[in-house]
Amino acid sequence: MDVLKSLNFKDPILFIKTLSTGNLGIVDTQNTLRIIDTSLYVVIDGFKTNITHGRHLSSYVDMTHDGEYMVSTDTDKNQAVIFSLSKRKQIYKVGSHDGEVESVGMDPNGRYFVTSGQDGKSFAWVLKTSRLAFSLPPHADFVSAVTFNDDGQWIATGSYDKSINLLNIATMNEAMRLRGHADMVKEIVFMPEAKLLSLDRSGGIILWDMSDGKLIKRLPKLADEVSCVCVSSNKHFLFVGTKQGYVALYDLHTAEMVSKRFIKISEEISSLAFMNNPERLAIGTLKGNVYVYSLFGDEEGYLQMLLDGQYKAFYDALEDNPMLLYSKAYELAEKSWMYAIEKGRAYLEENESENAKELFAPFMGIPKKTAVINQMLSAYEKFGMFQNYIKIGRLPLAYSLAKQYPVFQESEHYRKMELQWKKIFFKAQELILAPNGEEQARALLAPYRGISDKTMLIQQLFEQRKMYLYMKKILSQNDYVKFFGLIKMYPFLKEFSEYASTMEYGDILYIQTQKAYAKGDFATVRKACKILISFPDYAKEAQEMDDTIRIKHLFFQAIAANDLSNAFSYLSSYPLLYELPEAQLIERQWNAITDNAQRFASTGSVQETLAVFEPYFGIRDKFRAMGGVMAQAYCVQLEQKIQFKAPQENIEYGIRQYISIFGLDEGIRSVNNYFKLLYESPLDIETFEQAPSVLWTPAMRIDDITVIA
């Protein structure tokens, strides 16, 4: 593939992100931020900071989607720093890690950011107030990756301990731990339909089910060390950059590798970003270069190439750029190829080989197409013999040639021969069920003796006629479970018309089910799924569809009844529901409430914080999330009491009470450190008995945590 545009900067590229404006945010190892116009490829904004990154291949920087805020590690001070683009300056620092901050991540909604450290800990901070929002479940080793999902409701962290922690911050329920990698988790990507994709440093790639934390599939592994990844905006394609300078391409719809070396450059790749309209890939390197590739190339040019009949040139381009497999030009080329095959076959059947060769000519020279063409031309030299065998009734010889030359099986002559076989076999089926009809059936089927697959069916037909009668009986009862069990035991039953009719019924029912699902006619879908579950080809999909509809139905019922308690309960248990507009709406409303509560919490206004949450006091699935904000409020309240020199015994009581409710978290550790600076106290919070998890409920209405009861 040819480079569409290249940009060069003095320092290694640390981070690239496509912003909501369509522009690129680029950060180098000197922590210089540049905003690049992706139509002109010029710097249109940015600023320089005083932070230097000595290491290159980690998640040291992230940005909000609008590019306004940037979070960066500050390794010298074990902190993270927030910068504002519009103000072009640092606005604050945060840090509670024992050791360096190893990775950072920004909420796409601009509500939170996460710092993760070499101490295995991860903390979420409120972006606008800089207050600690909550702590994430710890890892046993460095936290190497942190990612939010697209709507900011989930956070995943990955670690050198080879595990992933998955937390729903909308409920703050117990985190799910995923284990399956053989090396440090390098990158994590949230996928549609409640799926999660993770990559480890050694090239292992796993697709997970977020509902139960189970491994769905391991994608083909890379042999190179992974340095960075990105996905297309529609989550169809995964691009994986390596230290050796390769970009691998995966199709996430099929979970298969398309190309191990989709792009090769002679530099170590440090960052990737996907751009839309048109589809492009930006590659950052440790030599300070950014290369932009057009993923589909000159699409109009390719279409014109095909209109001009230059198929070889197009398929040569396809070898260079496998992304063209997904282009309109490829769809047109394959459509033209199939037309040539069908029309060419018709010419060959009429012994008009020159017309066929003329039709095939544009595809000659394309290796795979040429092989097919040559096989067809060679096979059809025997087609006259095949026709003659059919004409004179030498059916075993005709079937033998069709087996030797599979292309004959696509011909009209073969189809007619098979149709005749089915009619005769069906007639024989009728005869053997009639009194004294067995000999007539044998005579009728005699021409097919000697054809191996037909002979076996004929033998089974006469030997197991009782099975046929039993099959008819269970079909009359619509017992498809027994029907397919019987078919599995006695494959010859597939030759009966009842089998074909049943399979056709299943296909029609499946199509009708898909249409009903698209229209939201869930009652019809569930009724159909109860039948399709018995069909092996549709069983898994039908079961998943039925389960999904059942949960959606319950969720919609809760929404219609304004029963937010049950609605949030279903959301907590079934992540797939988060893709529904109704779920997104009630979560946006909740987020607005939480943001408002956090503003009060950041000032220590406990009563006002409680008042904001009051409409949600009856929703148990929000208790943990509310408790996290209340913990912020009490920490600020304690800091204020300390600042204004409240009595020591009240401060100590407040700290004890906090730990009994919220546990020993980083918020109270920070308060205790401040307390020890200004007071002489023997208090040792590490020895306190603490809550195993957040015990806060709305019933614990404590306006002042330092008031001794």
Side-chain angles (χ1 to χ4, degrees), residues 248-538:
L249 171 64
Y250 289 81
D251 183 333
L252 294 178
H253 286 179
T254 61
E256 295 295 339
M257 181 188 289
V258 177
S259 174
K260 185 179 290 187
R261 298 182 176 182
F262 173 56
I263 296 173
K264 173 67 175 82
I265 60 177
S266 58
E267 302 171 33
E268 189 170 343
I269 296 173
S270 58
S271 50
L272 295 171
F274 177 88
M275 295 178 283
N276 262 330
N277 303 317
E279 291 86 350
R280 290 158 291 168
L281 185 69
I283 303 175
T285 77
L286 293 187
K287 288 189 176 180
N289 293 314
V290 175
Y291 300 107
V292 179
Y293 288 82
S294 175
L295 294 176
F296 290 109
D298 181 8
E299 288 192 85
E300 293 300 322
Y302 288 130
L303 288 170
Q304 187 60 49
M305 185 185 292
L306 296 176
L307 292 174
D308 293 339
Q310 299 178 41
Y311 289 93
K312 184 179 184 306
F314 173 75
Y315 280 95
D316 285 346
L318 185 64
E319 291 295 317
D320 181 55
N321 180 12
M323 277 294 290
L324 292 177
L325 285 167
Y326 306 91
S327 67
K328 292 179 181 178
Y330 180 74
E331 185 179 339
L332 176 62
E334 286 295 289
K335 188 175 181 181
S336 299
W337 163 247
M338 292 309 299
Y339 172 79
I341 287 293
E342 292 300 320
K343 187 67 174 175
R345 180 182 290 114
Y347 280 134
L348 291 170
E349 289 179 14
E350 297 298 325
N351 201 28
E352 298 178 19
S353 59
E354 291 305 315
N355 288 337
K357 289 177 181 179
E358 184 178 345
L359 197 62
F360 294 150
F363 298 94
M364 294 300 290
I366 303 168
K368 291 182 181 178
K369 310 295 187 191
T370 301
V372 173
I373 292 168
N374 288 337
Q375 287 173 3
M376 283 188 69
L377 292 174
S378 175
Y380 271 92
E381 291 177 1
K382 304 287 186 180
F383 192 72
M385 186 185 300
F386 173 68
Q387 287 176 296
N388 188 53
Y389 285 147
I390 296 174
K391 186 176 180 180
I392 64 177
R394 304 286 296 276
L395 296 181
L397 292 175
Y399 273 104
S400 177
L401 269 181
K403 192 171 184 179
Q404 185 178 355
Y405 301 105
V407 68
F408 291 173
Q409 296 176 22
E410 302 296 326
S411 69
E412 186 63 25
H413 292 77
Y414 184 86
R415 282 192 286 268
K416 287 180 178 179
M417 186 169 65
E418 275 290 275
L419 182 60
Q420 182 64 17
W421 152 255
K422 291 181 183 299
K423 287 179 179 178
I424 289 175
F425 193 78
F426 178 67
K427 182 63 177 176
Q429 292 166 356
E430 292 180 335
L431 287 170
I432 65 168
L433 297 176
N436 305 316
E438 188 169 323
E439 286 306 314
Q440 295 180 56
R442 289 186 187 279
L444 194 61
L445 293 167
Y448 295 92
R449 297 274 181 190
I451 304 169
S452 57
D453 55 341
K454 310 296 187 194
T455 300
M456 180 182 68
L457 293 171
I458 292 167
Q459 288 173 348
Q460 290 177 334
L461 178 65
F462 287 105
E463 291 171 3
Q464 304 184 47
R465 54 182 295 196
K466 290 182 180 179
M467 290 300 103
Y468 170 70
L469 295 174
Y470 181 56
M471 177 183 74
K472 291 188 69 173
K473 180 182 177 181
I474 61 179
L475 277 178
S476 68
Q477 299 168 347
N478 295 324
D479 191 338
Y480 297 107
V481 174
K482 286 184 179 178
F483 171 76
F484 284 106
L486 192 67
I487 293 296
K488 187 174 182 180
M489 292 176 63
Y490 304 103
F492 82 96
L493 293 173
K494 292 181 180 180
E495 292 298 318
F496 286 88
S497 60
E498 286 82 358
Y499 175 79
S501 299
T502 302
M503 296 307 293
E504 184 179 359
Y505 168 67
D507 293 341
I508 293 171
L509 188 62
Y510 176 75
I511 293 170
Q512 291 174 341
T513 304
Q514 292 291 325
K515 290 180 178 178
Y517 188 84
K519 292 178 181 178
D521 183 1
F522 296 143
T524 298
V525 175
R526 295 201 70 189
K527 186 177 179 181
C529 282
K530 292 187 185 303
I531 299 172
L532 287 173
I533 284 169
S534 302
F535 284 69
D537 289 347
Y538 302 123

Side-chain angles (χ1 to χ4, degrees), residues 4-47:
L4 178 66
K5 186 70 178 180
S6 62
L7 306 171
N8 179 261
F9 305 102
K10 184 177 68 172
D11 298 300
I13 303 301
L14 187 67
F15 172 82
I16 303 178
K17 184 169 187 171
T18 302
L19 306 177
S20 56
T21 58
N23 294 326
L24 282 180
I26 298 178
V27 181
D28 62 25
T29 53
Q30 295 301 310
N31 222 48
T32 300
L33 168 65
R34 297 177 177 89
I35 306 297
I36 308 296
D37 183 311
T38 53
S39 58
L40 301 174
Y41 297 104
V42 295
V43 178
I44 57 173
D45 206 345
F47 59 89

Side-chain angles (χ1 to χ4, degrees), residues 533-551:
I533 284 169
S534 302
F535 284 69
D537 289 347
Y538 302 123
K540 183 180 179 182
E541 190 172 349
Q543 185 64 63
E544 289 176 351
M545 195 180 296
D546 186 60
D547 291 344
T548 299
I549 290 170
R550 179 178 59 84
I551 297 304

